[in-house]
Each structure stands twice: as structure tokens, then as C-alpha cells.
Amino acid sequence: VVSTQSTGKRRRERYFLIHMWKVQKKLVPDVSHIEFFPNARLGPRADVPTYIHKVETAKSTLLEGSFGVRGPQLWNTLPSEVKLAPTMEILKSVLGKHLEGIPDWPPTTNYS
């Protein structure tokens, strides 16, 4: 039996993507200072911040998983029809259909 329920990781990624859409539409404050730029073929893209690679492993892991880094990375993987959704309801619908086509496997440890 295949479960239709998303894992915690998938739910977190979905939340990041919805919040990125809100930031792009200026519906919420942009506390991470994410810059968007147009791309004719791929739709709006987000600038993924770079960081110094010589930081401690624990700090780099925290930074890589933060919204300011992970949000733009996920955003840039979306097809333009998802990123250009005009309303929240349409965004959630097309995002759900897009995510259904991506296997949520293998499961990530410490997520349920």
C-alpha cells in the first residue's frame, strides 16, 4: 500500500516554496533579502546566496538548510507555470500536481 501522505521533509519543502512565492509577490516581508531576476525561458529565478566554505561543518549544515539558502534552491527547480501562478489557490494546486510527480523516496531520517 502506497501512502499519499507527505513526509515531513516534503511538507517543509512545500512550505518553503509557498513562502518564496509570497516573497516574490511582496505579500510578506523579505527578511532573507532574496533577489529575484527574470529569465525568459525558466521564469523568475532567485539568487542563491554564497557563503564561505571554510566554516565549521555544523554551521555550514545549518546555513545550507536555512530558508535563505534552501528556499532559492528549491524555487529555481520549479517549472515556470508554478512560479507564475497568479493566486495562492492556483499556486497550491499546480505545486501539488508538480510535487506528486516527484518521488518522495528514499525517506530522510528524523522526518516522519
Side-chain angles (χ1 to χ4, degrees):
V1 177
V2 177
S3 173
T4 58
Q5 191 173 19
S6 298
T7 63
K9 181 181 179 196
R10 177 59 58 91
R11 287 191 300 270
R12 183 171 185 254
E13 290 174 347
R14 184 176 184 275
Y15 171 80
F16 274 17
L17 291 168
I18 291 171
H19 195 73
M20 285 290 294
W21 180 85
K22 289 179 180 180
V23 169
Q24 185 219 7
K25 299 285 187 185
K26 300 187 183 339
L27 300 174
V28 295
D30 181 12
V31 296
S32 297
H33 308 290
I34 298 168
E35 294 185 32
F36 292 90
F37 56 93
N39 183 298
R41 187 173 63 86
L42 302 172
R45 306 272 295 167
D47 187 31
V48 180
T50 57
Y51 58 94
I52 301 170
H53 291 283
K54 294 181 181 180
V55 297
E56 297 172 23
T57 304
K59 289 180 184 175
S60 68
T61 302
L62 287 172
L63 184 63
E64 289 170 359
S66 69
F67 175 76
V69 174
R70 192 69 183 133
Q73 289 174 339
L74 290 168
W75 178 261
N76 291 339
T77 64
L78 289 177
S80 60
E81 58 267 9
V82 176
K83 295 188 268 187
L84 296 173
T87 66
M88 178 66 72
E89 292 77 23
I90 294 173
L91 171 74
K92 288 181 177 180
S93 173
V94 294
L95 180 60
K97 289 175 186 171
H98 174 70
L99 292 176
E100 283 175 5
I102 300 172
D104 197 9
W105 190 260
T108 305
T109 57
N110 299 327
Y111 280 96
S112 59

